[in-house]
Amino acid sequence: MLTDIRYAIRSLTRRPGFAILAVATLGLGIGANTTIFSALYRLNYEQLPYETADRLVTLARTQAGEGFLLSPSPAVVAAWAEQSRLLEDVAFAVPVDMTLTGRGEPVALNGARLTAGLPEMLREKPVLGRMFTEAEAVAEAPVVVLSAELWRERFGGDRGVIGQSAQLGGQRRTVIGVMSDDFGRYSDPYPRQEFWVPYRVREEDSYGSALGLLREGATPQEAGQEMERIAAGFGGGAPAGPWTYTALPIAELIGDGTRQTFPILLGAVALVLLIAVANVAGLMIVRLNARRREIAIRAALGGRHRRILGGLVVEQVLLAFAAGIVGLLLAAWSISIIAHFAPHTLPLLDSLRLEPAVLLFATALLLLSTFFAGVLPAWSALRGDPADSLRSGGERFTSGSRGRSVLVSAQIALSVVLLVGAVLLIRSFGALQSRDLGFNVNGAVVIDIALSSEGYDADQKGPFFTDVLDGIRAIPGVTTAAVGGDVPPHVGLLFGTLRVDDSDVSTDGISYVAGTVAAPGFLPALGVRFSAGRDFNEADSGMNRVIVSRSFVERFWPGDDGVGRRLKLANAADAPWNEIVGVIEDISASHSPTGENLQVFYPQEWSYPTHSIIVRTDRAEPLSLVPAIRQLVSRSDDELPLRNVSTLEQLMSESIARERFNMVLLSLFAGIAIVLSVVGLYGLVAYTVQQRVREIAIGVALGATTASVRSLFLKHGMRLVGAGLLAGIAVALVAVRVLR
């Protein structure tokens, strides 16, 4: 064995170009497949880092025909907690923004108001101190539990933090515990949580997250049916509308939209690996053909086929070992890149690593690749009669030539399939970017300010924003500034039974629309276009007036401009009507109830916990306004931080981050496939020239020109390219039709 290893090393080092190309090609294919499989395994097969992860379910409501989940009302959740026999425990969390002061610069934090019992559901224990009790939750005691990250960054990792005071949200709270890094990480769709305060369920709360723990042996389907029965017998706290209640495994919901694309990406990198294997197999055929005379001499001198094959296999094993190392290094690097750039909808990927199962997959892949790319060609090379090779000088390997031609055509075909997929994704992404958003993303800064969590009441918010906006409008370069509730594309949902006046179109089944509140000037500052009517003015404050989208008018009053029409979105039938004073072009928003842009905007009112300021400027760098704006806000409240500062263009870019991520990956794989195919085609032409040197020399001696010789090989290469293109296009057309 040692002799075979030494001989294999000498043989490979005599032709280092072959060894380097084979290792790089195979390592690239192994690394790409290992990377994508690692992500797929993490998303689909590895549990969340909680002891009860397999029994954790999200409790939600949805509406027929809609593809997204909504929070159930807290009152219904309380009924489930009391009456359910299939849910061992139920917890409810309401996301909340608060400002931490007194420890360096004021910092805006994302946290949650939490009912007691969630750590016990997850079987999670605080790393320091304790979680709050049921009595503290009911009383909403002034205590706080910190995340491990917040504890390290703002409290210096002090193990004596328990019992210290923290000024949070304008209230002094006592720190009673510190939770682990995993607790609160998977809070999709809300941002990662950094603190938790006690919470008592209130019927008026309209959003949050409900989590349940199934009893042993219970299924999510059974729990969902029981939830339906309990909700059906529940009274006034249940929201109106044709709701369906369901229990869904929480691990399946985290990043579900992107999760579904990874099998497609795995298929793409599998094609890359096939091309890499075909390429290495082709290189092996060339190498074995060049060594055919050497192999024949060894066989003629009494070398047994098994021994000769063993020596060749040792070479393949050495190449595979080196390719495996390259592949794993490439996978480790790629995994760190994916963990950094993956969409925020996939928090599971931020801890992506090479798991034992992934290493096992990579090993199996390497063994299969080595067999097809190395062992099989070596075995095939030994099937002929050594005497034939000696008589021909070892220069003819016709079957190998045909096999390599097939491999090159197959590589080109697979590359075409990948390229078509990448082009379709790029075209879809381009259409997504160039679609009419209904507003202008250029030259606008968006800043969130949360006053409710800082102790401001409704009467204080109006004067605060008036003073701040007056100051912002006086900054050089600012063309307009206004305040509203939500900024596209993250427009919220407004709930209630929709009724419209004097329309022949039914509103049955519509119990929510997309929308928000808007102060005068907010919609023009967004750059929306009015198709009829006007913007809100100061006289509309407190009045029953609304602005709606053009799709809303076209659905319920086709042929009319909609101005002066009336609607109401309320559970009570005797609720007052709202007059439509303006109609705007549809805005691209996160939610489109019933598949349409049914959007309603109400005059500004100050019950919203967070408000968004939009500032439009003619400066080349809109974010250059932020220091001056921060200074203005500090004059009104020096402990109030700016939140989620970004440009409107950045917000829109982030909203399509998942699509961009998929497009870049698939385009990268298509590019790799094309490069490998070009290398394979070059190798084939070089091999063909090598095999026909004697024939070319005779032809030249008999008068053949250089151009005719070049044309001969060019035609051969073009025939292979043409065959590969035709096959690839045919497969791509079938694949596109199937996927549609």
Side-chain angles (χ1 to χ4, degrees):
M1 177 62 73
L2 290 177
T3 302
D4 287 337
I5 293 175
R6 285 195 295 269
Y7 183 80
I9 293 174
R10 286 199 304 271
S11 177
L12 292 172
T13 53
R14 280 200 302 267
R15 296 284 184 89
F18 160 77
I20 292 172
L21 190 57
V23 167
T25 301
L26 200 55
L28 188 63
I30 296 294
N33 277 267
T34 302
T35 300
I36 298 302
F37 178 80
S38 178
L40 192 64
Y41 178 82
R42 186 80 170 94
L43 291 171
N44 290 279
Y45 302 108
E46 188 172 289
Q47 296 284 359
L48 292 170
Y50 305 129
E51 184 179 329
T52 57
D54 58 333
R55 293 193 288 141
L56 288 175
V57 290
T58 292
L59 312 180
R61 59 183 165 127
T62 186
Q63 192 171 17
E66 297 296 340
F68 51 86
L69 302 174
L70 299 169
S71 171
S73 74
V76 173
V77 174
W80 290 336
E82 293 175 3
Q83 302 177 35
S84 176
R85 296 182 180 179
L86 298 179
L87 295 173
E88 183 178 306
D89 206 349
V90 174
F92 194 79
V94 177
V96 63
D97 299 330
M98 290 187 181
T99 301
L100 177 67
T101 57
R103 293 184 177 270
E105 289 291 322
V107 59
L109 302 177
N110 300 305
R113 300 185 186 276
L114 189 66
T115 57
L118 182 59
E120 288 73 15
M121 285 176 58
L122 305 179
R123 305 296 188 263
E124 284 281 306
K125 296 181 179 179
V127 295
L128 289 176
R130 62 177 178 84
M131 183 53 96
F132 40 78
T133 64
E134 182 69 34
E136 287 172 324
V138 171
E140 295 192 340
V143 296
V144 62
V145 176
L146 310 176
S147 69
E149 183 178 5
L150 179 62
W151 169 59
R152 288 190 296 265
E153 291 183 357
R154 286 286 170 162
F155 293 82
D158 181 9
R159 302 190 67 85
V161 70
I162 305 302
Q164 293 184 16
S165 294
Q167 191 73 16
L168 196 62
Q171 182 181 14
R172 187 165 298 278
R173 295 178 177 271
T174 302
V175 177
I176 61 171
V178 177
M179 296 304 295
S180 69
D181 283 310
D182 288 330
F183 191 81
R185 170 182 289 178
Y186 310 106
S187 53
D188 189 47
Y190 304 112
R192 181 179 301 190
Q193 295 164 355
E194 300 167 282
F195 68 90
W196 300 271
V197 295
Y199 169 69
R200 181 182 71 253
V201 174
R202 297 180 177 84
E203 290 190 6
E204 62 267 22
D205 289 331
S206 59
Y207 67 103
S209 298
L211 195 66
L213 179 64
L214 295 173
R215 293 191 184 277
E216 294 285 354
T219 66
Q221 293 75 18
E222 293 170 342
Q225 293 169 1
E226 183 189 54
M227 290 161 55
E228 284 279 358
R229 290 194 297 270
I230 294 173
F234 190 68
W243 299 108
T244 297
Y245 294 95
T246 184
L248 296 171
I250 187 171
E252 294 182 7
L253 293 177
I254 296 177
D256 182 61
T258 307
R259 175 200 306 270
Q260 298 167 358
T261 65
F262 271 88
I264 298 174
L265 293 175
L266 187 61
V269 292
L271 293 182
V272 172
L273 181 61
L274 283 176
I275 295 171
V277 169
N279 222 341
V280 175
L283 291 171
M284 282 302 305
I285 291 173
V286 173
R287 177 173 170 78
L288 289 170
N289 188 71
R291 298 178 61 189
R292 194 166 178 79
R293 182 176 178 83
E294 171 199 337
I295 294 171
I297 292 173
R298 291 176 63 186
L301 293 175
R304 292 190 301 174
H305 277 205
R306 181 178 298 179
R307 179 62 187 273
I308 296 172
L309 179 62
L312 295 176
V313 168
V314 169
E315 289 187 19
Q316 311 316 313
V317 170
L318 292 176
L319 289 174
F321 181 75
I325 292 176
V326 170
L328 288 179
L329 290 174
L330 180 62
W333 176 76
S334 301
I335 282 172
S336 66
I337 296 297
I338 286 181
H340 182 74
F341 289 103
H344 67 85
T345 54
L346 286 173
L348 285 169
L349 292 188
D350 65 4
S351 57
L352 195 62
R353 59 188 180 277
L354 290 174
E355 308 282 353
V358 175
L359 294 176
L360 186 63
F361 169 81
T363 302
L365 214 57
L366 186 61
L367 291 175
L368 285 173
S369 302
T370 302
F371 176 77
F372 286 107
V375 176
L376 202 58
W379 176 77
S380 178
L382 294 175
R383 288 188 303 168
D385 185 354
D388 292 339
S389 295
L390 291 174
R391 284 192 294 269
S392 66
E395 294 178 357
R396 297 192 62 81
F397 193 6
T398 306
S399 63
S401 178
R402 287 196 298 268
R404 179 146 174 81
S405 297
V406 172
L407 289 175
V408 169
S409 293
Q411 290 178 50
I412 293 172
L414 294 175
S415 298
V416 169
V417 173
L418 273 179
L419 186 61
V420 168
V423 168
L424 290 176
L425 263 185
I426 292 171
R427 191 175 71 173
S428 299
F429 185 74
L432 194 63
Q433 281 190 308
S434 61
R435 73 193 189 280
D436 184 8
L437 300 174
F439 58 95
N440 182 11
V441 301
N442 299 315
V445 177
V446 178
I447 299 170
D448 291 344
I449 295 181
L451 295 180
S452 295
S453 60
E454 307 307 317
Y456 283 72
D457 58 33
D459 293 335
Q460 295 173 306
K461 292 179 182 179
F464 173 88
F465 281 110
T466 297
D467 291 344
V468 169
L469 289 173
D470 286 344
I472 292 175
R473 293 180 187 120
I475 298 174
V478 171
T479 57
T480 185
V483 63
D486 299 309
V487 171
H490 307 297
V491 175
L493 294 176
L494 304 174
F495 294 93
T497 301
L498 178 64
R499 299 177 179 87
V500 296
D501 189 25
D502 194 22
S503 173
D504 297 329
V505 181
S506 172
T507 60
D508 290 347
I510 302 178
S511 55
Y512 60 94
V513 298
T516 186
V517 295
F522 182 72
L523 294 174
L526 277 174
V528 302
R529 301 184 299 276
F530 279 80
S531 59
R534 60 173 176 82
D535 185 25
F536 292 128
N537 56 41
E538 296 297 339
D540 294 322
S541 180
M543 304 296 289
N544 298 317
R545 292 169 183 166
V546 292
I547 293 172
V548 300
S549 61
R550 183 165 55 87
S551 287
F552 193 103
V553 173
E554 289 178 348
R555 172 162 182 175
F556 297 111
W557 303 286
D560 191 281
D561 67 6
V563 176
R565 298 286 189 170
R566 299 189 303 169
L567 67 89
K568 54 183 167 182
L569 187 68
N571 293 336
D574 59 351
W577 289 96
N578 297 283
E579 179 189 357
I580 297 175
V581 297
V583 180
I584 61 172
E585 296 296 324
D586 296 345
I587 290 177
S588 177
S590 302
H591 307 294
S592 296
T594 67
E596 302 173 73
N597 284 321
L598 302 184
Q599 299 164 350
V600 179
F601 297 86
Y602 288 84
Q604 181 69 59
E605 49 88 16
W606 302 109
S607 62
Y608 269 47
T610 302
H611 292 80
S612 297
I613 291 177
I614 181 164
V615 182
R616 194 162 288 280
T617 177
D618 54 15
R619 292 189 185 184
E621 295 293 336
L623 290 177
S624 64
L625 294 171
V626 174
I629 295 173
R630 181 175 285 111
Q631 187 175 11
L632 282 170
V633 172
S634 296
R635 289 176 186 172
S636 298
D637 188 334
D638 60 3
E639 294 187 345
L640 188 65
L642 306 183
R643 300 171 182 267
N644 306 321
V645 178
S646 68
T647 64
L648 200 51
E649 190 173 10
Q650 288 172 339
L651 286 178
M652 292 307 302
S653 177
E654 290 170 4
S655 72
I656 55 175
R658 182 184 58 166
E659 290 79 5
R660 183 188 303 107
F661 181 71
N662 297 334
M663 180 199 67
V664 169
L665 283 181
L666 191 58
S667 300
L668 176 63
F669 298 146
I672 293 172
I674 291 171
V675 171
L676 291 178
S677 297
V678 170
V679 171
L681 182 61
Y682 172 80
L684 173 65
V685 174
Y687 159 73
T688 306
V689 171
Q690 177 191 15
Q691 294 304 108
R692 302 177 67 178
V693 168
R694 181 179 297 180
E695 178 186 341
I696 293 170
I698 294 173
V700 171
L702 294 176
T705 64
T706 303
S708 64
V709 173
R710 185 182 296 116
S711 175
L712 176 68
F713 290 105
L714 185 61
K715 288 178 181 178
H716 177 60
M718 292 306 295
R719 281 197 298 270
L720 296 180
V721 171
L725 286 174
L726 289 175
I729 291 171
V731 173
L733 289 174
V734 172
V736 168
R737 182 166 296 182
V738 170
L739 290 175
R740 283 181 179 176

